[in-house]
Amino acid sequence: MDTEVAIIGGGPSGLLLSQLLNRAGVATVVLERASRAHVLSRIRAGVLEAGTMALLQEAGVAERMMREGHPHAGCYLTDDDLMVRINFEELTGKSVMVYGQTEVTADLYAAQEAMGATVIHGVQDVVIDGADTPAPAVEYTLNGERKRLTCAYVAGCDGFHGVSRKTIPAAKRQEFERVYPFGWLGVLSRTRPAHEELIYASSGHGFALASMRNENLSRYYVQVPLTDKVEAWSDQRFWDKLRACLPGDVAAAMETGPSIEKSIAPLRSFVSEPLRWGRLFLVGDAAHIVPPTGAKGLNLAASDVFYLYQALISAVKSGDTAGIDGYSARALTRIWKAMRFSWQMTTMLHQFDGEDSFAGQMRKATLKHLSQSETARRDLAENYIGLPY
């Protein structure tokens, strides 16, 4: 056996799983299709739940996050009439951390390198062999040479388009999906954030999100049709749209500038069950996708890692398979709760094609209810900061 756990995918979930396993004395090999530079160039979400922060601390990679991250004790939900603050600390006693996924990944790469963990980049044509046997293996091509990695277990952390989920026979899995009829046009700019906390805006001009990476780097989104092309959106058109969606006083004071990254992301909810087939386990986007509205993507992957790393340690170290036998059910329980919250936030904040006037009034009534009900605000806050593992 070449390693104890083969991990397919060198993004944050694969690296975090490798980090936690290696710290417990379980050997891993991480296989990643892209280069390290490409992985670190991906612009992704940046809101970390309390549980994700705790897991990063357990993994020994939280020092820079705690030093450079930005704790947020709340967020705002707005429409054309109201601006409602959800006070996380007051309602739950916890907060979230704004710290970019790219930074989390960089910290994990540095920690893996420091401990001498094996991360192989540039692999192609990955095939998982014998996942339903006691002796699985992963075959791949590296620099034109075909290689075979034998292992005790395989963790599929290779995303929605990876090979891991597709390795599970179609007759053995069930998939659930909702594709939303719009996307998010996102812009990154070297400007001061519009507000010290995130603003989720549901306006007559559509949805917008005002977020940030740090005090001089802002991340903004507006709702656009899926048919739109990035090229059709000049910086000026984007800023005009964003200002129209945000509360007037916020829009008036907002600093604008040239975009340094601009892209359109489609929104979907997706779950594949089960998360285990034999000795293959799905983690993160390989098993589920959430719309970004509730900031659950990376955090949901982290909770998968939490359940799986403990189970694998028990299986490898003591032969106790109770954890891996229960991994799929435990992870899916939390996954579906996060799916519900992300779907709820998406429905509450976005305009849908062909909707009637009733839908807009329901959005306004929901926000009004949040403004008047501490119970409603607490429910939102508990889900936003992250349900317990």
Side-chain angles (χ1 to χ4, degrees):
M1 187 169 63
D2 295 313
T3 192
E4 288 167 319
V5 179
I7 299 174
I8 305 174
S13 59
L15 294 172
L16 179 57
L17 179 61
S18 177
Q19 178 74 9
L20 288 160
L21 290 175
N22 277 279
R23 282 169 67 90
V26 176
T28 69
V29 172
V30 178
L31 303 174
E32 168 57 40
R33 176 182 58 85
S35 68
R36 177 169 172 171
H38 179 79
V39 173
L40 290 173
S41 72
R42 298 168 182 162
I43 303 297
R44 293 292 187 269
V47 178
L48 305 182
E49 293 177 354
T52 302
M53 289 187 281
L55 192 59
L56 292 171
Q57 288 174 325
E58 185 177 345
V61 293
E63 181 181 351
R64 190 163 72 98
M65 174 191 73
M66 298 305 294
R67 185 176 69 249
E68 299 180 9
H70 297 268
H72 278 219
C75 72
Y76 287 87
L77 276 69
T78 76
D79 62 14
D80 297 314
D81 303 311
L82 279 175
M83 187 167 180
V84 180
R85 184 169 187 251
I86 310 298
N87 190 324
F88 304 145
E89 288 191 340
E90 181 181 282
L91 294 164
T92 71
K94 297 179 180 179
S95 61
V96 296
M97 180 76 77
V98 174
Y99 187 67
Q101 179 173 318
T102 301
E103 305 308 319
V104 173
T105 307
D107 295 342
L108 285 164
Y109 268 131
Q112 288 279 276
E113 189 172 11
M115 69 167 54
T118 302
V119 181
I120 303 173
H121 289 273
V123 304
Q124 298 177 329
D125 304 320
V126 174
V127 174
I128 302 170
D129 182 38
D132 58 341
T133 74
V138 180
E139 295 183 353
Y140 61 96
T141 300
L142 181 65
N143 299 324
E145 182 180 350
R146 197 65 181 164
K147 296 181 178 291
R148 182 177 176 87
L149 175 69
T150 60
C151 55
Y153 299 100
V154 181
C157 307
D158 50 349
F160 182 78
H161 299 289
V163 70
S164 297
R165 184 180 69 256
K166 298 168 189 174
T167 298
I168 302 176
K172 299 288 187 181
R173 55 185 159 92
Q174 187 173 11
E175 296 182 349
F176 307 86
E177 184 174 34
R178 170 158 295 180
V179 177
Y180 298 92
F182 44 74
W184 279 14
L185 170 64
V187 160
L188 195 67
S189 63
R190 298 194 191 283
T191 54
R192 293 192 314 273
H195 198 277
E196 61 184 12
E197 293 182 337
L198 274 65
I199 300 175
Y200 292 84
S202 173
S203 75
H205 296 278
F207 167 81
L209 170 60
S211 182
M212 72 286 291
R213 291 294 175 265
N214 57 50
E215 63 272 13
N216 295 304
L217 189 62
S218 298
R219 184 66 165 163
Y220 297 113
Y221 301 91
V222 296
Q223 175 184 345
V224 297
L226 284 175
T227 52
D228 275 19
K229 304 296 182 184
V230 172
E231 296 75 25
W233 283 86
S234 66
D235 285 354
Q236 187 59 53
R237 183 186 177 192
F238 176 86
W239 293 121
D240 290 345
K241 172 75 170 182
L242 181 63
R243 284 196 190 97
C245 295
L246 293 175
D249 56 342
V250 175
M254 183 174 62
E255 179 181 310
T256 64
S259 63
I260 57 177
E261 193 272 341
K262 190 184 296 177
S263 59
I264 295 177
L267 271 66
R268 65 150 56 92
S269 299
F270 174 84
V271 180
S272 181
E273 298 184 4
L275 274 61
R276 177 196 180 186
W277 184 56
R279 294 192 170 215
L280 167 64
F281 305 89
L282 303 183
V283 178
D285 288 359
H288 46 75
I289 301 287
V290 289
T293 325
K296 293 295 166 226
L298 173 60
N299 293 297
L300 202 51
S303 70
D304 292 348
V305 170
F306 174 83
Y307 295 126
L308 185 57
Y309 97 89
Q310 295 179 330
L312 287 172
I313 290 170
S314 294
V316 171
K317 292 290 190 180
S318 62
D320 180 1
T321 63
I324 60 173
D325 291 340
Y327 164 68
S328 183
R330 289 184 72 197
L332 281 167
T333 295
R334 195 174 189 277
I335 287 165
W336 278 113
K337 291 177 181 178
M339 284 287 157
R340 182 204 66 83
F341 177 66
S342 295
W343 162 82
Q344 181 185 49
M345 289 281 284
T346 302
T347 303
M348 177 175 66
L349 294 168
H350 292 79
Q351 295 179 3
F352 285 74
D353 293 341
E355 69 178 24
D356 55 24
S357 58
F358 183 83
Q361 291 301 108
M362 287 300 96
R363 286 193 292 272
K364 285 185 173 294
T366 299
L367 190 62
K368 187 74 171 178
H369 178 58
L370 282 168
S371 73
Q372 298 174 339
S373 170
E374 182 178 312
T375 300
R377 293 194 299 275
R378 179 173 289 107
D379 178 69
L380 195 153
E382 287 176 346
N383 281 273
Y384 197 97
I385 62 99
L387 297 174
Y389 291 161

